[in-house]
Amino acid sequence: MLRKSSLFFLGCVLFAGSITALAQYSSGQYPSGQSSGEDTYSNAIDCSNPINAYSPVCTGMNNANSPEATGQDGTATPTYGTTGAGAINGLQGRTSNGLPTPGLTQSNPRYEDENPYFRFGYNYSPYFPVQPATEFQRVVAGTVGRMLPIYGANLFTHVPATFAPVDRVPVTPDYVIGPGDEVLIRVWGQVSFNVHATVDRTGDIYLPQVGDLHLAGLQFSQLDAYLKSQLGRVFRNFDVNANMGQLRSIQVFVVGQAQRPGSYTVSSLSTLINTLFASGGPSNQGSMRRIQVKRGDKVITTFDLYDLLLKGDTSKDVPLLSGDVIYIPPVGPRVAIAGSVQVPAIYELKGDETAKDAIQLAGGFTTMAAKQSAQLDRISIVGTRETVNLPFDATGLQTPMRDGDILRVPSLVQRFDKTVTLRGNVANPGRYAWHPGMRISDLIPNKESLITRYYWQRRMALGLPAPDYRPLYSAYPQQSARSSGNAGQSSSSSGQNAGSSQLGSSSLAESQELQAGDASPSNGTGQGTASATQNGSNSSALGSSSTQARAAGSTEPIRMYPPGDRFSEGQFPIRNEIIRTAPNIDWSYAVIERTNPQNFTTSLVPFNLGQLILDDDASQNLELEPGDVITIFSNADIRVPQMQQTKYVRLEGEFVHAGIYSVLPGETLRQLVIRVGGLTPQAYLYGSELLRESTQRQQQARLTLYADQMEHDIEGSSSNAANLAVSPQEAATVTTSLASQKELVATLRGLRASGRLVLNMNPYSSGVDALPNLPLEDGDRFVVPSVPSTVNVIGAVYDQNSFLYQRGAHVGDYMRKAGGATRNGDRKHAFIIRADGSVLSKQYAGGTLFGGGFDSKYLYPGDTVVVPDSINKVTFLRGLTDYSTILSQFGLGIAALTVLGL
């Protein structure tokens, strides 16, 4: 009942929210296509901004009884229109503190532009309606590949409020006083008074003891002298000061091709430019160069907005008087200037501009412009379009521009003459000036020129101070529950680690939580990783990342071992590693990439870098040609022969001198161990691990391929099984089986290969001579543990545990100690993971009826016995259900035959 009540309450809230949003939308608070979450259309609208004055919130149309709607807020002045364009039919205007009110007489038009180039976002404004692209803009976009804006239109896109005049600013000396202006008069001396007087309709103000004074028509600069002379008729020995208070409002008309034509109530300080910004300026079809101010039957001024935009010239901007008309005529001839000019756009002409004038309108050429010639697309006399070449000489620049011309100024081709390029594994790659007789040695004078700057940066980083060591208290759990199934047991034995690695389970380091908070999953070898930064330098480790990544200088993680790991004390992270700070130079091969100037084919000219630099072989010092590109490679770019590779191998564990060693050309594992001093008496070769990066990559690729194939097979079999299902129970079973199989695939994808090589050692092998003569690879890690004292039994047994090793004991002996397999244990598929990494399964254990077999196999220190769970059993109840269904269907069939008399 409580749940139903909660759902009902939530539904009511959502329904109420929807109704509120719909009401706000219908009232005009949120424009079409905009959400209430946008800041531009939020409820907190600044109504002092003239560009917001027409919104329903500021006009009060969303509340018929609001002060804004009634004009009773003390600041708004109700205004009523009469007839014709711009009339206000019962709609009260608003002149918040004298600011201009954009066309309240006009509806808010909405445009829909189906132009495919409109996705460029041209001419979008949150304040004025979005205008469609003009036909000429569409043609230009199809020619130059992008939408060009109309020059100057963006000036009116986001109109700042500072363009609108406000009352609290000083008036100019030539300001003409008129009816509605407030005059502040202060008199002191023999007589003292302070008067706030408003000029009435007759142009007079009234002062006590003085009478009426006619101020209309006076300029502000004449006001003090006029008042002093008039007051001097009554008073003596006084001073007077006059200032302007609240200024009157005037009504002007914006007509023609304006974005928002109509009647505007503006401050008496407003000029032509102020009102243009309030009205949104010319529309896309309006002229920016022939804007007129008409007063009565006279044209007071003709304003060119290009003078303001290009020169900052406002000399033809005039103050407005009540009744003035701002007329924006249709646009004149237009041309498009595109390409390598400073301001590509569409420009309006006055009629006599040349190509030189048009380029000057666009701000001139850019630095990368090709100033030889341009392409001019124009409409021919017969009405077709044609392209002419326009040279940038004295004659070409004087070519008159026509309406509809598209001038395309090309850019320079990114071509370098008389240069050669050096790149690759060098100290100073780049372009160099070519000269006749230039050879490779001029670019690479010595071997030091092949040492990259990054090499020295890494070398310097190695010398930076490192933080002190700190122990990792409780950084690792005692045992991984996923690998052993018993989180309370100890996992210190080597056999346990080997078993979890072979099973593909995550190692102990996967569940680690480092105190520093920078732990990362292990690589499946029992080795955790964590990244650390030491004073801005990244410490790198050898072994977990690929050879190519190290050669390229990539940052490698710091390795960390879990407590009880047989290869480390596990209390401190590894801080110091021996690494290569740069890839090795490929001394045997470098190449010149050369382009034939006749047919522009490219050829490769190889040379031996080692013979040139190290042996000073003149035959390899090839002569260079203009445009050559010389590339110096490293072994990170091209795999070189084993004999030429620099190899670092890590020897850990029971060695006389464990450490990191460089491998001599052709040196094997046995030879390296002999060279470094051999093994200790505690060495357990049967449990040794050789971890190889190339093997790890191959194993990981095979594991990924196996997971992909399994996923493909599961999809196919599940589809077939779903089609063959004849009952809801079978369909549910198929669904459950599919989910478990997909979970298995996901587990496989999360596994990480160890890269371990099985060395096929004898369990009782000892001494260096038992090691194989295996060629070494860069990044190999050979770990020899001491002899463990336990054997592990894990899986579906009653007691998963580590048992003391007993010489001569069999699998059956340890299984009895573990209590044997559980009821769900799959005894037929039990197997042994040997300490050397090999696996012996029960089905291949051999044996006869008279003895032998899996249970009689000997176990060695570090071995692990695994009894898996049985996962494909069909329960007796399920089988009984299936049989009963078949019998019931059979009985129904017999009954039907009996009824039919058959």
Side-chain angles (χ1 to χ4, degrees), residues 20 105 114 173-174 202 210 335 379 415 453 568 575 841 870:
T20 303
T105 63
E114 298 179 357
D174 57 350
T202 63
V210 178
V335 297
I379 303 174
R415 172 186 172 186
R453 297 175 182 269
S568 172
R575 298 289 185 179
S841 64
S870 180

Side-chain angles (χ1 to χ4, degrees), residues 543-697:
S544 60
S545 62
S546 64
T547 304
Q548 287 80 356
R550 282 205 326 279
S554 63
T555 303
E556 300 173 358
I558 293 179
R559 297 186 300 107
M560 308 186 77
Y561 295 117
D565 186 280
R566 63 181 184 273
F567 310 137
S568 172
E569 295 181 2
Q571 297 179 353
F572 301 95
I574 293 177
R575 298 289 185 179
N576 299 309
E577 293 280 4
I578 297 177
I579 62 173
R580 289 203 308 271
T581 54
N584 290 331
I585 301 169
D586 188 351
W587 291 102
S588 62
Y589 176 81
V591 71
I592 300 173
E593 183 181 350
R594 180 169 294 167
T595 302
N596 189 331
Q598 304 300 325
N599 54 16
F600 298 105
T601 58
T602 301
S603 60
L604 299 179
V605 182
F607 62 93
N608 191 301
L609 182 65
Q611 294 179 11
L612 171 63
I613 302 300
L614 303 179
D615 302 335
D616 199 17
D617 187 351
S619 64
Q620 300 299 316
N621 193 14
L622 304 180
E623 187 173 354
L624 300 176
E625 297 180 3
D628 282 354
V629 178
I630 301 94
T631 304
I632 306 301
F633 296 97
S634 69
N635 59 8
D637 304 313
I638 298 177
R639 182 183 294 273
V640 298
Q642 289 282 339
M643 297 295 293
Q644 300 179 19
Q645 293 180 6
T646 298
K647 306 171 189 175
Y648 287 172
V649 173
R650 174 184 290 272
L651 301 180
E652 299 183 40
E654 298 301 321
F655 296 93
V656 175
H657 300 290
I660 301 173
Y661 295 92
S662 59
V663 180
L664 302 177
E667 193 170 25
T668 64
L669 176 62
R670 183 191 300 174
Q671 294 170 346
L672 175 62
V673 175
I674 293 174
R675 178 164 64 89
V676 302
L679 304 166
T680 66
Q682 292 79 25
Y684 184 46
L685 290 182
Y686 186 62
S688 61
E689 295 183 7
L690 180 59
L691 306 177
R692 178 161 291 179
E693 294 178 356
S694 60
T695 303
Q696 191 272 340
R697 291 193 297 272

Side-chain angles (χ1 to χ4, degrees), residues 269-281:
L269 291 177
S270 297
T271 65
L272 167 62
I273 294 178
N274 301 140
T275 309
L276 281 178
F277 277 103
S279 65

Side-chain angles (χ1 to χ4, degrees), residues 218 220-232 240 242:
L218 284 177
F220 176 68
S221 59
Q222 303 170 341
L223 183 59
D224 284 349
Y226 175 75
L227 291 176
K228 192 172 183 65
S229 65
Q230 295 298 319
L231 293 176
V240 63

Side-chain angles (χ1 to χ4, degrees), residues 348-360:
E348 181 183 355
L349 304 179
K350 281 192 171 181
D352 55 353
E353 286 88 348
T354 63
K356 181 179 180 180
D357 298 330
I359 293 173
Q360 289 178 350

Side-chain angles (χ1 to χ4, degrees), residues 679 683 685 762 764-770:
L679 304 166
L685 290 182
N762 187 286
Y764 302 105
S765 299
S766 62
V768 179
D769 294 337

